[in-house]
Amino acid sequence: AKLSHREAELLRIFLENREEIVQRRYILKAIWGDDSFFNSRNLDVYITKLRGYFKQDPDIQIITLKGVGYRFVVG
């Protein structure tokens, strides 16, 4: 799959912070420049898209930490 610019940015953030908790607010500010509700919903869509790309590989997971952010786990 060819990633969109924002999908690629999101993946880059996850790779740079592999195995660590990445706060939603940090992602929103890094990719959209603010953490408005509208952008927050966009982020949910992009997370779903990335999960879709990796669903064939059980070793790659994007774990949601409710109210906090995400953890990108490989292997």
Side-chain angles (χ1 to χ4, degrees):
K2 194 163 168 31
L3 297 183
S4 73
H5 175 70
R6 286 195 166 135
E7 288 167 344
E9 283 294 294
L10 181 56
L11 184 56
R12 182 183 59 76
I13 289 170
F14 280 145
L15 289 171
E16 287 174 354
N17 298 280
R18 201 164 39 243
E19 309 291 335
E20 295 171 20
I21 295 169
V22 183
Q23 301 216 349
R24 276 183 73 91
R25 183 173 294 137
Y26 172 79
I27 296 169
L28 289 165
K29 287 190 182 298
I31 297 178
W32 282 275
D34 75 75
D35 58 358
S36 70
F37 177 79
F38 174 75
N39 288 332
S40 189
R41 305 312 299 159
N42 276 336
L43 176 55
D44 294 337
V45 171
Y46 282 97
I47 293 289
T48 300
K49 285 182 176 184
L50 282 187
R51 282 187 172 132
Y53 297 145
F54 295 127
K55 71 173 181 268
Q56 300 300 323
D57 190 341
D59 286 341
I60 300 173
Q61 291 180 42
I62 299 171
I63 298 168
T64 300
L65 302 156
K66 279 233 177 282
V68 180
Y70 302 94
R71 215 168 86 209
F72 188 70
V73 178
V74 179

